[in-house]
Amino acid sequence: MKISNTDKAQVLIQALPYIQKYYDKIVVVKYGGNAMIDKQLKQAVMSDIVLLSLVGIKVVLVHGGGPEISDVLHRMGKESKFIGGLRYTDKETAEVVQMVLSGKVNKGLVSLIEQNKGRSIGLCGIDGGMIKAKKLEGEVDLGYVGDIVTIDTSTIVDSLNNGYIPVIATVGSDDEGNVYNINADTAAARIASELGAENVILMTDIRGLLANKDDETTLIPHVNVSEVPYLKKQGIISGGMIPKIECCVEAVRRGVKKAVIIDGRIPHSILIEILSDEGVGTMFS
């Protein structure tokens, strides 16, 4: 679609207050879902991130890579096993997670950002002791799935201050050198809170929180974190949404101004979220 120069100018003018609001602020984006697989959506996400960086917004990209991990395990003849939505991670799987996330996926995203004329640097939670983790304790043994102990943001801050977009793979380690698979939503929320971020955005494959999970027109655009227990009791927050929303609540309680679950299937959903009143998901504050 071709738009006139006047319309282009109007779009930029309308975006100005939002650019001013976020200028020199940190925004953490958790990248995942279909937007990581679909080539056009992937390109849209990378161009969004580069644009935000060029107008002075400090973007930190945190990513998982579940489908790629499953694909490599399958090619190795190893079955992926999930318990309560988390990947069971034995020693061999932990090595595959580290290789795929910190290598293939991470460097592929860095390359895409560079192709879009952005400046990017690939990191993982092991670099600079960024994510110190311990074994996640629970009713079921998940192997080398990690629980975050501490976050050291100095490597991220150094990257941002030098004009880079940090791209972070969510693996962590303990003092004995054990490597742990860290849930990307959890890592993004904790990193955002430790950075004092303005906003954390979790990309998903659904519109956001729905009053009726089978009807996308029932999107709830804003939720106060104090309302979450009631929404759980009502069954509106259930299943796979529970851990995502708990990450949002945790981020807000730790000082992040707002946490948003957005639909990554919508092209340029990050720009719509940050540079307009419209939004494309559910905001928690």
Side-chain angles (χ1 to χ4, degrees), residues 98 102 123-132 169 171-173 178-180:
Q98 183 180 355
S102 307
L123 302 166
C124 78
I126 301 169
D127 296 324
M130 185 194 305
I131 301 177
K132 285 294 181 187
V171 292
S173 63
N178 294 306
V179 173
Y180 295 95

Side-chain angles (χ1 to χ4, degrees), residues 28-36 41-42 44-46 48-49 61-62 185 188 200-206 244 260-271 280:
V28 176
V29 176
K30 183 269 177 168
Y31 179 47
N34 202 46
M36 274 192 94
L41 288 174
K42 208 170 186 178
V45 171
M46 296 307 122
D48 285 2
I49 286 167
L61 187 66
V62 176
D185 291 325
V200 59
I201 297 170
L202 306 184
M203 300 187 78
T204 63
D205 287 338
I206 55 173
K244 285 189 183 299
V260 191
I261 294 175
I262 67 169
D263 189 348
R265 300 168 303 175
I266 299 172
H268 304 293
S269 54
I270 297 172
L271 287 189
V280 283

Side-chain angles (χ1 to χ4, degrees), residues 62-64 69 89 91 93-95 97-99 101-102 123-136 143-152 168-184 186-187 191:
V62 176
H63 69 87
I69 294 166
T89 308
K91 189 77 171 174
T93 303
E95 290 174 358
V97 168
Q98 183 180 355
M99 174 184 73
L101 290 190
S102 307
L123 302 166
C124 78
I126 301 169
D127 296 324
M130 185 194 305
I131 301 177
K132 285 294 181 187
K134 64 179 181 180
K135 182 180 172 67
L136 182 66
Y144 288 87
V145 172
D147 188 18
I148 296 171
V149 178
T150 60
I151 301 274
D152 183 337
I168 302 167
T170 56
V171 292
S173 63
D174 62 19
D175 291 335
E176 282 73 52
N178 294 306
V179 173
Y180 295 95
N181 184 13
I182 308 287
N183 178 273
T186 305
I191 287 168

Side-chain angles (χ1 to χ4, degrees), residues 198-271:
E198 190 76 11
N199 196 352
V200 59
I201 297 170
L202 306 184
M203 300 187 78
T204 63
D205 287 338
I206 55 173
R207 285 291 310 275
L209 181 61
L210 306 175
N212 176 356
K213 64 182 176 60
D214 300 315
D215 184 356
E216 289 202 341
T217 65
T218 63
L219 176 72
I220 302 172
H222 179 247
V223 174
N224 191 294
V225 293
S226 63
E227 298 172 310
V228 168
Y230 172 77
L231 293 170
K232 280 184 184 175
K233 193 178 286 187
Q234 293 295 307
I236 292 170
I237 296 174
S238 62
M241 286 300 282
I242 292 174
K244 285 189 183 299
I245 288 172
E246 284 177 348
C247 288
C248 292
V249 171
E250 180 79 359
V252 170
R253 285 185 173 154
R254 286 175 175 265
V256 178
K257 297 277 176 59
K258 64 177 181 174
V260 191
I261 294 175
I262 67 169
D263 189 348
R265 300 168 303 175
I266 299 172
H268 304 293
S269 54
I270 297 172
L271 287 189

